[in-house]
Amino acid sequence: MERIATVTKEKRLQNNIGFFFIGVLIMTLLGFYPSYFAHFPMFEGFSWPYHFHTFFATLWIVMLITQAFLIRRKKFNLHRKIGNASYFIIPFLLFSFFLMAKTTYFKNINIKHLSETEALAYLSRSGLRDILYMAILYSLAIFYKRRTSWHLRFFTCTGLTVLGPGLGRFAFGNFRPEVAGATMGIFMLLVPIIWLIIDIVKKKSPIPLLVFIVITISAIYLDSCGHSAWWQTFAKWFADTFFK
C-alpha cells in the first residue's frame, strides 16, 4: 500500500512539473525585462551574443515545458523525438554561456573601465560556471533517461539552474538585499534540500538532489573567490587562451 502511494506521488510530480517550468519562464522574462526585453524591438547597444543567448536559453525553457506536458498527456513517442533535439540545442546553449562570459569580460574592461583584476573576478559569477553545471546536469539526465525518477530530477535541476539568473535580477531589482538574498537561498538551496529530505523519507535515491545541492554550494563558494589567487590565475589563463 505504501509503495502504491509513493508511485502515485511520483506520477503527480511528473504530471505537474511543467507548471514549475512555466514559472521559470515567467521569472526569466520578469527578471530580464528591465535590462533586455524592455529594449524591444530595437535593442540598441546589444550585440548579437545577447540575442543568441536569449534565444537558446528561452528555447531550452520552452523545451522543458513542452516535454513535461507531453509526459502529462502520455505522448511518450513525441517526448522522445523532441528529446533527441536537445542533443543539438544544448551545445548551442552552452556556447551561448561562453559568448556571454566573453562579451561581459570585454564590456567590463572597455566600456565600464574595470581593471583586469576586477574583470577576471567577475568571471567567477559569469556563464563560465554555468557551462560546467549545465553540462553535468544535462549529461546525467541523458545518461539516466531510462531511470525515470533520476531523469526527471536532473532535468528539473537544469530548470533551477536557468531560474537562477532571472530570479536574482528580479529579486535584487525589487527587494532589499537581505530579502533578495533570502529569496535566492530559498529557491536555490532550501527547496532542493527539502526535496532531498522528502526523497530520503520516501526511500528515493538522494543522488540527483545531492548533485544539485553540491553545485549550488560550489556556486556560492565561487562568488567569494573572484579575487583569490587561484581564480585570478585560472581566469587569466582562460581569458588569454579563449577570449583573445
Side-chain angles (χ1 to χ4, degrees):
M1 194 73 176
E2 182 181 348
R3 177 176 174 78
I4 294 175
T6 301
V7 171
T8 300
K9 289 181 179 178
E10 188 71 13
K11 287 292 185 184
R12 191 179 301 130
L13 174 63
Q14 291 179 25
N15 288 336
N16 293 306
I17 200 67
F19 296 107
F20 163 72
F21 293 138
I22 290 175
V24 172
L25 178 61
I26 292 172
M27 184 53 62
T28 299
L29 295 175
L30 289 175
F32 283 94
Y33 178 79
S35 61
Y36 181 79
F37 293 107
H39 298 274
F40 177 86
M42 300 306 296
F43 291 108
E44 293 182 7
F46 290 91
S47 56
W48 71 269
Y50 289 95
H51 308 310
F52 186 87
H53 174 67
T54 300
F55 175 79
F56 281 102
T58 305
L59 181 61
W60 181 253
I61 301 173
V62 171
M63 174 175 280
L64 291 176
I65 294 171
T66 302
Q67 291 293 73
F69 280 98
L70 285 174
I71 290 296
R72 181 185 176 94
R73 297 292 300 275
K74 295 182 171 53
K75 304 288 186 179
F76 302 115
N77 288 333
L78 186 55
H79 175 87
R80 281 191 290 270
K81 289 178 181 179
I82 293 178
N84 290 335
S86 70
Y87 297 139
F88 301 95
I89 293 174
I90 200 70
F92 287 108
L93 178 60
L94 298 181
F95 182 57
S96 78
F97 286 128
F98 168 81
L99 288 175
M100 288 309 301
K102 179 179 179 180
T103 301
T104 302
Y105 172 77
F106 285 113
K107 179 180 179 180
N108 283 336
I109 291 178
N110 299 326
I111 298 178
K112 294 186 177 181
H113 303 295
L114 298 183
S115 66
E116 184 179 36
T117 297
E118 292 300 323
L120 293 174
Y122 191 88
L123 286 176
S124 69
R125 306 187 297 276
S126 74
L128 291 187
R129 67 187 189 187
D130 293 327
I131 296 173
L132 176 63
Y133 297 158
M134 186 65 73
I136 290 173
L137 293 170
Y138 173 78
S139 297
L140 288 171
I142 294 300
F143 186 80
Y144 290 106
K145 62 183 178 181
R146 298 188 184 281
R147 190 168 181 173
T148 305
S149 65
W150 286 36
H151 181 73
L152 169 67
R153 282 160 175 77
F154 281 126
F155 265 124
T156 301
C157 288
T158 69
L160 281 168
T161 301
V162 175
L163 170 67
L167 177 62
R169 282 165 174 76
F170 179 81
F172 283 98
N174 292 277
F175 306 113
R176 298 192 308 273
E178 59 272 22
V179 175
T183 302
M184 290 294 293
I186 288 171
F187 280 94
M188 304 306 295
L189 196 56
L190 183 58
V191 168
I193 288 175
I194 293 173
W195 193 357
L196 170 67
I197 294 171
I198 292 173
D199 275 354
I200 293 174
V201 170
K202 299 300 180 182
K203 298 180 179 175
K204 292 282 185 181
S205 174
I207 291 177
L209 273 302
L210 276 176
V211 169
F212 182 76
I213 290 168
V214 169
I215 283 175
T216 301
I217 292 173
S218 74
I220 295 172
Y221 169 72
L222 280 176
D223 282 347
S224 64
C225 287
H227 294 90
S228 64
W230 75 266
W231 177 262
Q232 287 285 318
T233 300
F234 166 76
K236 181 167 177 51
W237 166 81
F238 191 94
D240 288 344
T241 303
F242 298 103
F243 288 172
K244 298 178 180 178

